[in-house]
Amino acid sequence: MDQLIVIGAGPAGLAAAVSARAVGRPVVLFDSSDYLGGQYWRHLPPERPARRESVLHHGWERFQSMREQLEADPRCEVVTGAHVWAIDHGRIHVMVGEADGTDREARVYDAGAVVLATGAFDRALPIPGWDLPGVFTAGGAQALAKGERVRVGERVVVAGTGPFLLPVAASLVRSGSTVVGVYEASRASRLVRHWTARPWELLATPHKVLELAGYASSHIGHRIPYVTGHAVTAIEGRDRVESVTISAVDGSWRPIAGSERSVAVDAVCLGHGFTPRLELAIAAGCRLSAERFVEVDDEQRTSVASVFAAGEITGIGGVDLALVEGALAGHLAAGGRLHDPAVRMLRLRRGVLRQFARRLARAHAIGENWTTWLTDETIVCRCEEVSFASLCSAATTTRSSGLRSLKLLTRAGLGACQGRVCGRTVEGILGARTPQGRLSGPRTTDRRPIAAPIRLGELARQGERTTSTKQRP
Amino acid sequence: MTARLVPEANDPIAPRAATPITITVNGEPVDGVLGQTLAGVLLASDILAWRSTSFGDRPRGAFCGIGVCFDCLVIVNGQRDVRACQRRAASGDAVVFHRDAPLGPSGDR
Ligand SMILES: Cc1cc2nc3c(=O)[nH]c(=O)nc-3n(C[C@H](O)[C@H](O)[C@H](O)COP(=O)(O)OP(=O)(O)OC[C@H]3O[C@@H](n4cnc5c(N)ncnc54)[C@H](O)[C@@H]3O)c2cc1C
Ligand code: FES
């Protein structure tokens, strides 16, 4: 039987590989990291063993059992350090070796059936001073705590929106930092409205509610102030973070004049939700949803019949939803049937977890007036150092409302990260300020034909070896 | 004080002894342990910034920690543009900070 290719070994990809193997299908599992687990189970490498690493994790035993099962299975090929950099014409291009290396092994696989499980990364909204050293994304701080045992600072502020801020604060405390506060920009009234709407839905996800309540009572309640309706609206320091300005914000996230307060900190963790890693799905030809995730049907199948998707590239829903979607995708992509009894339960659970995710998304939606905390000089595109004022003037002074030409004009989103960090923010800022009040032309922000960085030399060698097309050196 | 390694003695995860390594950073020796990324070694030694930007000449270090933002680029053993948060440190690695030449008027690098 043809092998199933699973890209991404986070919760979704691991679950997909396990359930595909249960159906008997051979699996190839790729992850660019040098170990399995994805963002959720980011852990210390084998060179740094610890007796009780599980204290940093939820569901650690489940992870270990999936990992052991797959690694011991001769019909599952686990390839770590596997940077999938392109999908084209039914072929998957992978560079295997160390990150950003020069001498990696180029491999090409036929994409018979594929499960995409590439996950998501933190979104951080620009704030004056957010380019100072000492500012991290919330997930970055989490990754450094779990994967390096590095604490990002001694006195840390966590700010943004969403329930993810809570585990980040908890990890910081467990790493010995003092968390001066968790500032949730959504106001309490909004949280209450969405959390208490249709309470019967919550009954189906009691452990999720308890998990959040657990963070609230153990850390947030006792040691860390959890403050709603407040945001970090400026970050100050000469060459590194020294203090932040915290302001009360209204329901649209506009800072309320006179509410500002300065707090001394040496690190800031920002999280305003997550952005899915869509480039491989787009390259494979998969249609995106209106909310700009990979669109999937009841079977986790994308608009391309042989390509399935699971986890946070299909919507932000946390680890439990990623696991359920992954299990479904793996089963069905491997040739399992939709009527199998195990699948019925998974589908029910998926429905419940998606409801929960929608509730969170509504409660923690980004306020439309957040840009009022920016100054003219605030850097929006960190790579190309494009300021808020230059974006605004490009949008208002040129006739063009096309994203592409505005990006070429300002260089926003064209730097090293290829708009991963600022892309959606730049779109929002430009769109609101063009004479038409919106952008025209295709939304190219998520499209990156080369999904993982490769060097020209490697590309040239790969060209010689595997295709007849001439590559430019 | 700022970023640094959680002290082993009171780390709740009870780490076992790790293998010490030494890398050089702009020629100066910096100690770390096997398994750390270059960003991990730098941050653990309270080095928070290791690159300066092309336009504003502003300091940058790690931001996303997971290979997405490209803020953490360093030169390692002569290789440019290596994401420090993604590359494991090996004993003897020679890390040099990127000091991008300011851009010309046309924006050429
Ligand atoms: C930095 C970070 C930390 C997080 N920490 C927590 C936490 O502590 N608690 C919590 O509840 N939630 C956390 N989250 C949320 C988390 O994203 C989800 O809960 C969960 O991990 C989603 O699972 P997934 O399988 O969809 O994706 P992920 O776990 O993101 O897994 C995707 C995997 O795909 C791989 N990948 C992506 N692109 C490629 C490519 N081109 N080639 C090869 N491999 C690729 C990645 O290396 C990654 O391992 C965190 C998110 C981030 C970004
Ligand atoms: S810190 Fe973002 S890529 Fe390394």
Side-chain angles (χ1 to χ4, degrees):
Chain A
M1 208 191 304
D2 266 4
Q3 60 200 15
L4 173 68
I5 292 186
V6 179
I7 305 177
L14 289 169
V18 167
S19 73
R21 288 299 301 126
V23 182
R25 184 93 177 241
V27 167
V28 185
L29 175 61
F30 293 124
D31 202 290
S32 52
S33 172
D34 48 13
Y35 52 56
L36 307 181
Q39 306 307 351
Y40 190 77
W41 288 308
R42 192 170 269 276
H43 55 281
L44 289 166
E47 297 84 1
R48 296 178 69 187
R51 274 189 298 278
R52 301 201 300 123
E53 194 170 0
S54 60
V55 301
L56 298 177
H57 294 274
H58 288 273
W60 185 245
E61 298 70 29
R62 170 139 191 212
F63 165 55
Q64 291 300 333
S65 87
M66 290 197 292
R67 182 181 65 78
E68 281 160 21
Q69 181 187 335
L70 294 172
E71 285 176 351
D73 183 344
R75 302 190 72 202
C76 179
E77 186 190 349
V78 176
V79 192
T80 52
H83 310 265
V84 180
W85 63 273
I87 298 184
D88 77 304
H89 303 101
R91 294 205 295 178
I92 296 179
H93 298 264
V94 192
M95 284 289 176
V96 182
E98 61 184 357
D100 304 334
T102 44
D103 197 23
R104 298 178 291 182
E105 181 197 349
R107 296 196 201 168
V108 183
Y109 289 74
D110 266 332
V114 182
V115 175
L116 297 173
T118 48
F121 56 88
D122 295 79
R123 178 156 184 202
L125 295 178
I127 294 172
W130 74 312
D131 50 331
L132 281 169
V135 181
F136 298 85
T137 65
Q142 182 77 324
L144 290 166
K146 286 183 176 179
E148 297 279 350
R149 292 313 278 143
V150 160
R151 58 168 178 255
V152 294
E154 296 290 310
R155 280 175 60 79
V156 188
V157 63
V158 179
T161 191
F164 178 53
L165 302 180
L166 303 179
V168 172
S171 272
L172 287 166
V173 168
R174 249 177 249 130
S175 309
S177 301
T178 300
V179 177
V180 301
V182 176
Y183 293 93
E184 161 64 58
S186 279
R187 293 180 8 136
S189 55
R190 184 182 182 97
L191 298 182
V192 168
R193 188 162 71 245
H194 292 287
W195 279 89
T196 54
R198 294 182 300 284
W200 57 90
E201 285 179 9
L202 289 175
L203 292 177
T205 48
H207 74 289
K208 281 267 96 180
V209 178
L210 287 175
E211 190 181 311
L212 291 175
Y215 286 123
S217 61
S218 67
H219 295 284
I220 308 310
H222 296 154
R223 280 189 277 175
I224 311 172
Y226 179 70
V227 188
T228 57
H230 281 70
V232 166
T233 50
I235 304 170
E236 300 94 14
R238 235 176 77 82
D239 285 328
R240 62 203 293 171
V241 174
E242 291 164 21
S243 64
V244 290
T245 302
I246 294 167
S247 311
V249 294
D250 69 13
S252 71
W253 293 16
R254 185 193 297 276
I256 295 170
S259 69
E260 305 83 1
R261 176 165 78 83
S262 175
V263 178
V265 294
D266 59 9
V268 183
C269 303
L270 299 176
H272 299 95
F274 291 92
T275 307
R277 292 202 187 197
L278 296 175
E279 43 280 86
L280 290 177
I282 292 174
C286 305
R287 194 160 57 228
L288 303 187
S289 65
E291 297 80 30
R292 293 170 75 189
F293 290 96
V294 179
E295 191 177 285
V296 289
D297 67 9
D298 198 33
E299 298 184 35
Q300 299 293 134
R301 197 190 290 271
T302 69
S303 61
V304 179
S306 59
V307 179
F308 293 69
E312 300 220 305
I313 52 167
T314 73
I316 302 308
V319 64
D320 292 319
L321 184 55
L323 285 165
V324 169
E325 288 190 353
L328 276 169
H331 179 86
L332 296 162
R337 290 171 318 137
L338 199 55
H339 326 288
D340 293 346
V343 168
R344 213 180 86 86
M345 282 310 295
L346 286 171
R347 287 166 70 200
L348 284 174
R349 222 171 123 58
R350 179 182 62 187
V352 169
L353 290 166
R354 280 191 181 157
Q355 249 172 11
F356 188 77
R358 277 195 292 274
R359 186 188 275 270
L360 289 181
R362 280 194 297 269
H364 298 280
I366 290 175
E368 68 273 19
N369 285 324
W370 70 270
T371 52
T372 52
W373 69 52
L374 299 177
T375 64
D376 281 356
E377 299 76 35
T378 307
I379 297 291
V380 173
C381 166
R382 299 168 62 95
C383 299
E384 295 290 315
E385 297 169 86
V386 183
S387 69
F388 180 54
S390 57
L391 273 180
C392 292
S393 76
T396 47
T397 57
T398 53
R399 285 260 185 65
S400 169
S401 60
L403 180 60
R404 203 181 113 80
S405 55
L406 285 167
K407 285 206 313 197
L408 284 172
L409 185 68
T410 58
R411 299 207 48 79
L414 301 180
C417 89
Q418 293 285 294
R420 286 175 172 88
V421 174
C422 71
R424 293 188 175 194
T425 300
V426 165
E427 268 186 22
I429 290 172
L430 291 174
R433 284 163 186 78
T434 57
Q436 297 83 348
R438 64 186 162 76
L439 292 170
S440 60
R443 286 288 196 285
T444 49
T445 300
D446 301 309
R447 193 176 304 155
R448 294 176 195 96
I450 295 182
I454 51 170
R455 295 178 191 268
L456 290 177
E458 286 181 313
L459 193 60
R461 259 180 290 135
Q462 147 112 359
E464 283 158 24
R465 210 171 332 168
T466 58
T467 66
S468 55
T469 344
K470 281 225 180 78
Q471 306 279 353
R472 264 185 293 172
Chain B
M1 256 308 138
T2 173
R4 54 168 140 137
L5 206 58
V6 177
E8 274 180 31
N10 45 17
D11 191 339
I13 72 167
R16 293 174 202 272
T19 314
I21 59 168
T22 304
I23 65 170
T24 63
V25 176
N26 298 327
E28 300 289 324
V30 171
D31 294 330
V33 295
L34 203 61
Q36 282 179 308
T37 60
L38 291 170
V41 174
L42 292 166
L43 288 169
S45 326
D46 198 19
I47 299 172
L48 207 53
W50 50 83
R51 187 172 73 86
S52 52
T53 60
S54 320
F55 294 87
D57 194 26
R58 299 290 299 152
R60 294 277 176 88
F63 177 62
C64 75
I66 62 165
V68 168
C69 74
F70 292 72
D71 251 359
C72 66
L73 299 178
V74 283
I75 303 169
V76 189
N77 308 327
Q79 250 174 54
R80 292 182 66 84
D81 298 325
V82 173
R83 285 167 295 168
C85 71
Q86 297 296 293
R87 176 68 69 87
R88 298 275 172 211
S91 220
D93 274 348
V95 171
V96 176
F97 294 173
H98 270 275
R99 290 267 174 261
D100 291 344
L103 301 197
S106 62
D108 297 335
R109 282 186 203 268

